[in-house]
Amino acid sequence: RIVSSLDHYNRIFDRVSSEANRMIFCQGCVAEMGGDVCAAIREMAGKGRIEYVHFRNIRGNPPDQFQEVFVDEGDQDMVQAMQAYKEAGFNGPYMMDHSPQFPDKDDSFKAGKAYAIGYIRALIQTVYR
């Protein structure tokens, strides 16, 4: 990993102040870093540093004991996260990332992906209206 903390991101942003210098904000990675996800959203989106969002969730204690889970069953309150993006003025794209698969099902990645996308769309429509 080249960047493993929000401080690392801030150092990169401080070195190159261009508006083009932005990040993929991965909520799961921020949680894995041990950070407060909503505070990080407000900080980075408030500075205009988020290009797009990997909207995912984890459960457990990073860095060693965590599990990637469906977007609505992890430790992060995803409604609060979506509200934090809105409050900070973020209007960019959200995408699913690392959705689990259903056991013993053909093409289960597609079902997990569809579930995550539907969940994200519902939150966007609920929070941004």
Side-chain angles (χ1 to χ4, degrees):
R1 213 184 264 179
I2 296 170
V3 178
S4 59
S5 73
L6 294 175
D7 288 337
H8 291 162
Y9 276 109
N10 281 319
R11 287 195 341 221
I12 292 167
F13 296 145
D14 290 344
R15 286 181 187 221
V16 181
S17 63
S18 168
E19 289 183 23
N21 188 10
R22 295 180 176 207
M23 68 189 296
I24 299 168
F25 189 92
C26 178
Q27 287 182 212
C29 289
V30 172
E32 290 168 33
M33 292 174 194
D36 178 327
V37 174
C38 287
I41 291 167
R42 288 183 186 94
E43 176 187 355
M44 295 302 177
K47 293 177 181 179
R49 293 300 187 182
I50 299 176
E51 183 67 22
Y52 62 88
V53 173
H54 278 174
F55 201 77
R56 71 178 177 106
N57 211 341
I58 65 168
R59 180 176 37 220
N61 298 310
D64 300 321
Q65 299 294 321
F66 74 93
Q67 177 183 19
E68 292 187 280
V69 294
F70 288 103
V71 69
D72 63 335
E73 63 181 7
D75 294 336
Q76 178 63 44
D77 184 323
M78 301 305 265
V79 175
Q80 286 181 355
M82 189 64 74
Q83 289 169 335
Y85 288 111
K86 180 185 179 195
E87 291 165 8
F90 179 73
N91 272 331
Y94 295 87
M95 51 193 5
M96 60 76 59
D97 188 38
H98 300 259
S99 186
Q101 296 184 26
F102 296 97
D104 302 323
K105 300 289 181 188
D106 291 338
D107 293 332
S108 67
F109 174 74
K110 292 177 184 176
K113 184 176 180 176
Y115 182 81
I117 292 168
Y119 186 88
I120 293 166
R121 294 280 302 146
L123 281 183
I124 290 169
Q125 290 174 6
T126 300
V127 171
Y128 277 83
R129 286 194 179 193

